[in-house]
Amino acid sequence: MIETAAIIKRTADHIAQLLSGEHTGHDWWHVYRVWQNALHIGKQEHVDMFVVELAALLHDVADWKFHGGDETAGSRSAREWLMSQSVGGGVVDHVCQIIDDLSFKGAGVRTSMKTREGMVVQDADRLDALGAIGIARAFAYGGHKAQEIYNPEISPTLHRSFEEYKKSSGTTINHFHEKLLLLKDLMNTKTGRAMAEERHNYLVNFLERFHLEWEGKA
Ligand code: ADP
Ligand code: NI
C-alpha cells in the first residue's frame, strides 16, 4: 500500500518534470486534471485505482501529434518508466494497453476500451476537452497551430478516418463540432457521463453566445 503510494508520487514528479514547458494543451496541468478526474470517477466504480492512477499520469507521455505520428511511442516510454519502478508485469501491460487505446482518432473512428480501468481514464481525459477548461485548451491549441478562431466560410467536416483527422486544418470553432460536441455520447461510465453532460451544456452556451457576438447581436 505504502509502496504503491510512493510509486504514484514518483510517477507524478517524473511526468511533471518531463512535460514542463509543454504549452499546447498537453502540459503537466492537463495530466494533473485528468488524474484528478480519474480519481473522482474511479472512486464510484469498482476498479483497480493503482492502474487508473498510473494510466492517467502516463497517458500523454508521448502524444502522437508531437512524435511524428508514432502512435506507440507513449506506451513504450511508459513501459520503460514503470519497469524502472519495479511495477509488476500485469500492471505494466494493463497500463500500456490503456495508453495505446486512448487517443481519439476522428469522429467516425470508435476507440473502445477493454477494461473498466481504461474506461475511467478515457472518460477522465475526455472531460478535460469539455467545459471551461476544454474551451481554453481548444484556443490554446488553435493558437499553437495558427488556426483561425472561426471562419463562417469553412464548414466542419466529420472525419471518417484517423488519417483525415490528423491532416485536418480547420478553425477552432469547427473543432467543437468535429470533436468536442461528440464526446458526451462516447462516455463510458455513469459518473463520467453526468460530468460530461454539464460540461457539454457549457460549450453549447458558449457557442450560442459566440455566434451572437460574431453578428454584433449581443
Ligand atoms: P487529449 O489530450 O484529450 O487526447 P488531443 O490530443 O486530441 O486531446 O488534443 C489536445 C487538446 O487540444 C484538446 O483539448 C483538444 O480539444 C484540442 N485540440 C485538438 N485538435 C484541435 C484542433 N484542431 N483545434 C482546436 N483544438 C484542438
Ligand atoms: Ni490527454
Side-chain angles (χ1 to χ4, degrees):
M1 191 62 202
I2 289 163
E3 183 53 13
T4 61
I7 292 171
I8 297 289
K9 168 86 175 71
R10 283 199 295 274
T11 303
D13 291 346
H14 165 70
I15 294 299
Q17 199 186 23
L18 208 66
L19 297 186
S20 72
E22 227 291 341
H23 299 298
T24 56
H26 282 103
D27 59 357
W28 157 247
W29 297 113
H30 162 65
V31 173
Y32 171 82
R33 293 186 302 267
V34 171
W35 181 26
Q36 300 313 305
N37 289 342
L39 280 168
H40 183 79
I41 300 168
K43 280 178 186 152
Q44 327 282 325
E45 310 283 318
H46 293 287
V47 290
D48 180 342
M49 287 305 286
F50 187 46
V51 169
V52 165
E53 287 194 70
L54 288 176
L57 284 168
L58 292 163
H59 84 276
D60 268 339
V61 80
D63 195 84
W64 57 263
K65 277 193 213 61
F66 304 102
H67 280 82
D70 179 354
E71 290 148 42
T72 58
S75 73
R76 259 188 288 115
S77 74
R79 182 175 296 277
E80 247 168 62
W81 167 257
L82 293 171
M83 306 227 320
S84 79
Q85 298 301 305
S86 309
V87 173
V91 170
V92 176
D93 287 346
H94 193 168
V95 169
C96 290
Q97 172 80 73
I98 293 172
I99 295 170
D100 280 335
D101 288 345
L102 207 59
S103 234
F104 182 90
K105 304 205 168 37
V109 188
R110 280 259 173 170
T111 36
S112 61
M113 281 296 168
K114 294 171 188 70
T115 62
R116 296 297 299 167
E117 286 76 9
M119 292 178 189
V120 168
V121 178
Q122 187 173 48
D123 279 4
D125 193 32
R126 283 173 170 162
L127 280 172
D128 207 49
L130 295 176
I133 300 268
I135 295 171
R137 289 180 78 212
F139 288 101
Y141 183 98
H144 170 70
K145 288 276 190 163
Q147 274 173 194
E148 286 182 296
I149 58 172
Y150 176 56
N151 184 336
E153 286 164 8
I154 305 176
S155 31
T157 24
L158 294 187
H159 308 109
R160 279 175 311 273
S161 74
F162 187 36
E163 289 311 306
E164 261 185 62
Y165 177 69
K166 272 203 277 197
K167 277 189 299 199
S168 75
S169 58
T171 69
T172 296
I173 289 293
N174 280 356
H175 181 68
F176 283 64
H177 299 281
E178 290 163 358
K179 174 178 173 182
L180 306 185
L181 295 173
L182 311 173
L183 294 177
K184 113 177 135 48
D185 293 329
L186 300 176
M187 301 301 284
N188 304 299
T189 66
K190 195 164 165 255
T191 315
R193 196 170 313 119
M195 290 170 82
E197 266 164 28
E198 216 172 304
R199 294 185 186 207
H200 176 93
N201 293 338
Y202 194 90
L203 294 189
V204 172
N205 290 336
F206 168 79
L207 287 173
E208 205 179 310
R209 175 81 199 182
F210 184 97
H211 290 295
L212 280 177
E213 290 184 14
W214 190 272
E215 300 298 339
K217 290 181 182 155

